[in-house]
Each structure stands twice: as C-alpha cells, then as structure tokens.
Amino acid sequence: MIGILGWALFLALFVVFVALGFYGARWRRGDMSQLHEWALAGRRLGTFLVWFLIGADLYTAYTFVAVPSGMFASGALYFFAVPYVSITFAIAMLTMPRLWEWSRKHGYVTAADMVADRFSSKALAGLVAITGIIAELPYIALQIVGMQAVLTIMLYGLVKNVVEVSDIALTVSFIILAAFTFTSGLRGATLGAVLKDSLIFLSVIVLIIVVPLKYGGFATAFANAQAFAQQLAAHKVAWLTTGITNLKPAASLAWGYATLWLGSAMALFLYPHAINGSLSSQGKKQLAMSTALLPIYGIGLAILAMLGILVYADPTAMAILSKFPLSSAGILAVPALAVASLPDWLAGIVLLGIFIGGLVPAAIMAIAQANLLTRNIIRPLYPKITPQGETRASKWASVIFKFIALGFVFTVPATYAIQLQLLGGIIILQTLPPVFLGLITNRLNKYALMAGWVAGIASGLYLVEVANHFGPLKTSLYPVAHVLIFIGLLSLLINVVVALVFSVPTMMKREQAVKEKA
C-alpha cells in the first residue's frame, strides 16, 4: 500500500485524466454525429498524436501486467513479447499506410469495410467483424486485470474487503470512462493517451534505474534474483513454483518461443483497435512516420519484462507478494515493485500510469468493437440507418462492450483473463487472409475465404482444447513432432491452405476469360 501523499497524487492525476477525456469533445471540434468524427477523431491526428494513440493501443496491461507476470512465474519464455514487438511494427509499415489510403478514398471506418468492398461480400465482412469483436473482449478484460492489480496493492492493509472495494472502484472508473468515451470518442482517448504514455515512460525509466542501483547494478540484481528463486525452490515453498531458476527456456520450448513471437507479430495489427488508431491519421506520410517511431515502445516493453525477474531481488516486494496466492502474485509484480522501491509520491504517479494504462486502451478497443458492430453487422441488416443513427448506435455499443468485459472479469479468475487474451490472438489471426491478403489481391474467392475462416477458427479452438484446458501458457502451444508450436500459426496455415485451394478454380476461370478476351 502507499501513504497519503501517494494517494493524493494518484487521485489528482486521475482527475486530470478525466478532465482531458471530457475536454476531448471540444478539442478540434467536428460534427460528432458523424461516425468518422467520433470514432476516428475526424482523421486529423498528426504524427506524434498517432504515435501516442497507437502506443496507447498497444502499450497496455499486456505489457506491464501479463508479460512481467509470465516472466515472474515462467522465466524467459515470456520474453517472446520483445522480438514480436520489433517485427510487428515492420508489418504495420507494410500494411497500415495502404489500408489508410483506401480508407480515406472510399470512406472506410473498419478493415471489414475494405473486405466487403474488395470481395463484394457483406457476409465475409460480417465474419471479420464478429471475429474482431470477440477477440477484443479478453483484451479489454486484461486491461481491467491490470487496473485490479494496482487497486489491490494500494488498498491492501487499508481495508478489510479489498476485493469488494476494488470492484466498486473499477465500476466507478468504467462509468466515468464510458461517459467521456460516449461524448468525446477517440478525441478523448487520444488526449488521455498522451498523459498515460508520459506517465508510463516516466515509470519505466524510474524503475529500471532505481531497482538495479538499489542492488549494485544489473548483474548483482539478477544474481540476487536467481539466488532467491533457488532458495525458494530448495525449501519447496508451496506459495511459488517458478521457472526463474532456469532463465534459458528448455530446448523443447525453442520453437514455441519463435512461433509465439512470429504469430503474435502477425496478429497485432489485425486487432480492430490497432487498425482504428492507424486510420485516425491525417495523412499517409504521418502514419508511416509515427509507425517508424513505434519501436521506441519496444524498449519500454523489454524493461518491463525484466522487472518480472528483478522483483525477486527486492525482499520488500517479495514480502508483499508472499501475502497473495500464486494465481495473483505474478500479476501484482510490477505494482508491488513500485511500492517497495519508490517513495510514496513517486509510487502514486507510477501506479496511476499503470491504472489509466488500462483505461485508455479499453476505451479505444470498445470504440473499435462498436464500429464493427454498426458498420458491418447492423448496417447490412438495416441499410436504412442514417449516419446519425449509426453514430448513436456505436456510442451505446461502446458502453455495452466495456461493461460486458467488466462483468467477465468479475466472474472469471484473473489468470484465465490473461490466458484468454492469448486465445484472442489465435482467433484474430484468422482474419489475416481477407484483410492482409485483401490488400494485395481481390482474386481470392469469397466463399473460399469463408471456408478458410471456418477451418481456422474450428482447428484453433480444437487445438486449444486438446492442448491444455487453459493451463499455464500451454493454452497457446501445441506439440508437433516433439516441439511446441503456437496454435495461432497452425490454424492460420490451415485457413490459408483451404482459402487458396478453393480459390484455384475461380482464379483459373478468370485467367481463361482474360485469354479469351485477348
């Protein structure tokens, strides 16, 4: 827990965050009854605002809760997140500027709009939309888990019913978030992203300097961490079963590590919230420049991942974590380290950064889900809907999606939310053929793409079920020829093969028609 000064700064900065969110409705004012104004900030964000916004899209509780938690409990396998980030921005450079160009020209608001146009299929676009909506739910839930971790550390020792009080605080926070998202749309989220990312970068810099210096440098800190983990293992401490004693993953996990980062890199810019942030740019060059700057966020991710190991070097932080069960100890690692290592006032600032680091992405994700629902599901079913009606529907849908995810977290243990986020990656990868391949060619058959989608989703869910019934990390890995492979890539391979094989007759007919014309 933190003291009065830490609480005061936390609450004061939270008020600033809320004020920025509501001010967004007046900032760069546009006609908020138009969906592109509310959901894409009028497509008028410059290089650095898009950089902050996409960074807020991607620098989420996955970064400062899930990854350090995995490092804390499983060792270096979870470091796959670092190379995956370095690759995913290269993929974004190849795909997002092209998608932005078409979206500006044709008025697309979602990637599914492009799919509907390219393949003349509202049904295929609907499948892409449904996939995006479902894949976002566990991602939003993970943001809430990160916020819960902050509140748990702050409230522990102050109140008896920590869970109940934190649930109330989360509900109030989401009501406020829903209110300013409803009125300000992406503009409010963008201003919040600037504050959030500034605090997160401050937090990362402070923690990576303070923690190693506290123990005489990185070498000493890592040595202390490993020694402490070995001591726990030697005494067979029931509270913790850890993979930190083997910082290098076993050889059998090498393929799992490689395919996890490759598959995750391919998946990230298929998520609707990442696409939504990209389409808000005012120009193709600005988007390319902001994307080129995004690897800076990867540095912060690497540092935060290492904190999942360095927390072992801090006896005070470990004493805090020992009061919690293993299922939540890893999730609390970074907040506990902040409280243990920093003065009250600075800990309050760092914890607020992590807290709104869950709120901002949750807002953007809910906006992206709402866009898909109204543009690609409601609009085809009710073509008479007006632009104003479309915007109203999106606003209310964004509220509903937030509270669906909130209810999900209240009923499902936190550890499952993180595992389901990995399942979200497997699901969203199945939209790659119509979205990314659709940027290259429209010669694939729409029915073949639908068949590939069905095969990919079915095989992915089946392999997840067979793999481990939601066990630690293996949820997303499946044994193939004595090595573990990311299920998302296996199901995507099946998807692509089915789509290509069933598209061959259509492609041959087109070639024949071209020859006959010639």
Side-chain angles (χ1 to χ4, degrees):
M1 64 179 183
I2 61 174
I4 295 176
L5 184 57
W7 269 103
L9 279 170
F10 182 96
L11 294 173
L13 286 171
F14 183 73
V15 169
V16 173
F17 167 74
V18 173
L20 286 172
F22 281 107
Y23 174 70
R26 298 169 178 251
W27 176 65
R28 296 188 178 181
R29 187 189 293 272
D31 182 0
M32 297 296 275
S33 66
Q34 300 296 314
L35 188 59
H36 74 278
E37 286 286 350
W38 178 80
L40 298 178
R43 307 180 197 261
R44 287 183 285 166
L45 300 183
T47 299
F48 288 103
L49 285 174
V50 172
W51 181 71
F52 274 116
L53 182 63
I54 298 179
D57 276 353
L58 311 179
Y59 217 61
T60 70
Y62 176 84
T63 305
F64 40 75
V65 171
V67 174
S69 175
M71 292 287 287
F72 176 84
S74 302
L77 180 61
Y78 260 82
F79 210 71
F80 80 85
V82 177
Y84 118 60
V85 164
S86 66
I87 297 297
T88 198
F89 296 137
I91 294 173
M93 285 289 288
L94 294 173
T95 56
M96 291 302 103
R98 185 173 179 83
L99 180 59
W100 178 92
E101 191 173 24
W102 286 2
S103 298
R104 175 61 68 92
K105 182 178 180 180
H106 300 288
Y108 303 151
V109 175
T110 69
D113 285 345
M114 183 272 293
V115 170
D117 198 12
R118 289 283 280 172
F119 297 103
S120 301
S121 176
K122 293 178 181 179
L124 179 58
L127 291 179
V128 171
I130 292 169
T131 307
I133 290 170
I134 292 173
E136 289 286 20
L137 284 174
Y139 221 145
I140 298 176
L142 184 55
Q143 309 316 308
I144 302 169
V145 169
M147 295 161 64
Q148 279 181 324
V150 170
L151 292 173
T152 299
I153 291 297
M154 293 180 71
L155 293 170
Y156 191 82
L158 290 178
V159 296
K160 290 183 179 180
N161 300 318
V162 174
V163 174
E164 290 181 13
V165 175
S166 66
D167 285 352
I168 293 171
L170 277 173
T171 303
V172 171
S173 298
F174 261 64
I175 290 172
I176 295 170
L177 177 69
F180 79 64
T181 304
F182 188 94
T183 58
S184 303
L186 197 67
R187 286 173 169 84
T190 301
L191 295 179
V194 175
L195 176 62
K196 169 249 180 186
D197 287 356
S198 300
L199 293 178
I200 288 294
F201 274 117
L202 172 65
S203 305
V204 168
I205 292 168
V206 168
L207 285 171
I208 205 60
I209 292 174
V210 170
V211 176
L213 285 180
K214 192 175 179 181
Y215 299 99
F218 278 99
T220 305
F222 276 109
N224 289 350
Q226 184 127 346
F228 186 68
Q230 289 170 342
Q231 183 182 348
L232 288 175
H235 288 83
K236 297 181 179 179
V237 176
W239 166 75
L240 182 66
T241 303
T242 179
I244 191 179
T245 52
N246 181 16
L247 291 178
K248 181 180 179 181
S252 62
L253 290 176
W255 277 95
Y257 181 92
T259 54
L260 270 172
W261 69 253
L262 178 59
S264 299
M266 295 167 68
L268 192 55
F269 274 86
L270 288 167
Y271 274 105
H273 62 276
I275 292 172
N276 201 81
S278 300
L279 298 188
S280 67
S281 176
Q282 71 178 110
K284 185 177 177 181
K285 289 183 179 179
Q286 287 86 345
L287 176 58
M289 179 62 72
S290 61
T291 306
L293 293 171
L294 283 172
I296 295 172
Y297 281 94
I299 300 171
L301 172 59
I303 292 170
L304 284 165
M306 288 192 291
L307 294 179
I309 302 296
L310 290 178
V311 67
Y312 282 95
D314 194 312
T316 305
M318 292 300 291
I320 295 172
L321 295 178
S322 67
K323 298 173 183 176
F324 297 91
L326 175 62
S327 60
S328 57
I331 295 167
L332 302 171
V334 173
L337 192 59
V339 170
S341 304
L342 304 175
D344 258 5
W345 65 272
L346 191 51
I349 294 174
V350 170
L351 292 175
L352 189 277
I354 297 173
F355 188 78
I356 66 173
L359 281 174
V360 173
I364 303 168
M365 291 171 189
I367 289 171
Q369 286 177 304
N371 293 343
L372 290 169
L373 179 66
T374 56
R375 293 281 292 196
N376 308 114
I377 298 176
I378 294 177
R379 193 179 185 184
L381 295 175
Y382 183 58
K384 292 182 180 180
I385 190 171
T386 64
Q388 292 76 18
E390 192 175 59
T391 305
R392 277 196 302 273
S394 285
K395 288 180 176 181
W396 283 111
S398 73
V399 174
I400 293 168
F401 284 129
K402 288 184 188 74
F403 285 96
I404 289 174
L406 187 64
F408 171 81
V409 171
F410 286 164
T411 56
V412 178
T415 181
Y416 288 105
I418 291 175
Q419 291 163 10
L420 284 172
Q421 195 277 334
L422 293 172
L423 178 60
I426 295 169
I427 292 171
I428 201 65
L429 267 175
Q430 307 319 311
T431 64
L432 186 148
V435 177
F436 282 176
L437 295 185
L439 292 172
I440 301 170
T441 179
N442 62 351
R443 298 179 67 191
L444 297 174
N445 181 280
K446 59 185 177 183
Y447 300 110
L449 287 168
M450 292 182 204
W453 178 89
V454 171
I457 292 290
S459 61
L461 295 178
Y462 173 76
L463 291 175
V464 166
E465 176 67 17
V466 171
N468 193 302
H469 298 284
F470 297 109
L473 189 65
K474 291 182 181 177
T475 301
S476 57
L477 299 176
Y478 188 80
V480 177
H482 308 295
V483 296
L484 292 172
I485 304 293
F486 177 43
I487 289 171
L489 283 183
L490 293 175
S491 55
L492 176 62
L493 178 62
I494 294 170
N495 182 340
V496 171
V497 168
V498 170
L500 290 177
V501 168
F502 284 97
S503 290
V504 167
T506 302
M507 296 168 90
M508 291 177 67
K509 284 182 180 178
R510 285 186 179 180
E511 287 183 5
Q512 184 64 32
V514 170
K515 287 180 181 178
E516 288 176 358
K517 272 190 176 184

